[in-house]
C-alpha cells in the first residue's frame, strides 16, 4: 500500500521514491532505497538519501540532476 507523506518525512531503507525528470528526455523513475540508504539515478549515479527528510532529499536529487544536465521536476515518496 502506498501512503503519502509530507516533506518532513525521514527516508529510510526500503522506502520507495517516484522521481519525475524532464529535459531532453522526460522520464519517471521508481526507485527503492537500498540497505545502504542509496538510490541510483541514471547517468548521475548513487545518492545517499536515508536519514534525510523528503525535502532535503528532493534538493539533493535536484542538485545532482542539474550537475548532470537533467532537469528535476518532482519527487513523490511512497512507503510500502
Amino acid at each position: 500500500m502506498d501512503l503519502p507523506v509530507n516533506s518532513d518525512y525521514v527516508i529510510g531503507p526500503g522506502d520507495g521514491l517516484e522521481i519525475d525528470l524532464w529535459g531532453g528526455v522526460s522520464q519517471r523513475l521508481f526507485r527503492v532505497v537500498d540497505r545502504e540508504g542509496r538510490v541510483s539515478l541514471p547517468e548521475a549515479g548513487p545518492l545517499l538519501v536515508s536519514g534525510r527528510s523528503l525535502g532535503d532529499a528532493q534538493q539533493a536529487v535536484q542538485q545532482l540532476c542539474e550537475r548532470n544536465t537533467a532537469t528535476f521536476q518532482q519527487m513523490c515518496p511512497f512507503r510500502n
Side-chain angles (χ1 to χ4, degrees), residues 2-57:
D2 297 342
L3 302 173
V5 298
N6 64 31
S7 63
D8 294 330
Y9 176 79
V10 177
I11 298 170
D15 284 345
L17 302 173
E18 180 180 310
I19 304 167
D20 290 328
L21 302 172
W22 57 272
V25 175
S26 296
Q27 55 185 317
R28 175 168 286 166
L29 308 174
F30 297 94
R31 296 291 186 261
V32 175
V33 180
D34 68 18
R35 291 183 301 199
E36 296 175 358
R38 300 178 187 274
V39 292
S40 184
L41 301 173
E43 299 186 29
L47 177 66
L48 181 64
V49 295
S50 184
R52 292 184 175 196
S53 69
L54 175 60
D56 290 343

Side-chain angles (χ1 to χ4, degrees), residues 53-69:
S53 69
L54 175 60
D56 290 343
Q58 287 175 317
Q59 289 178 348
V61 169
Q62 182 173 1
Q63 291 170 354
L64 184 63
C65 289
E66 286 172 352
R67 286 194 305 257
N68 290 284
T69 70

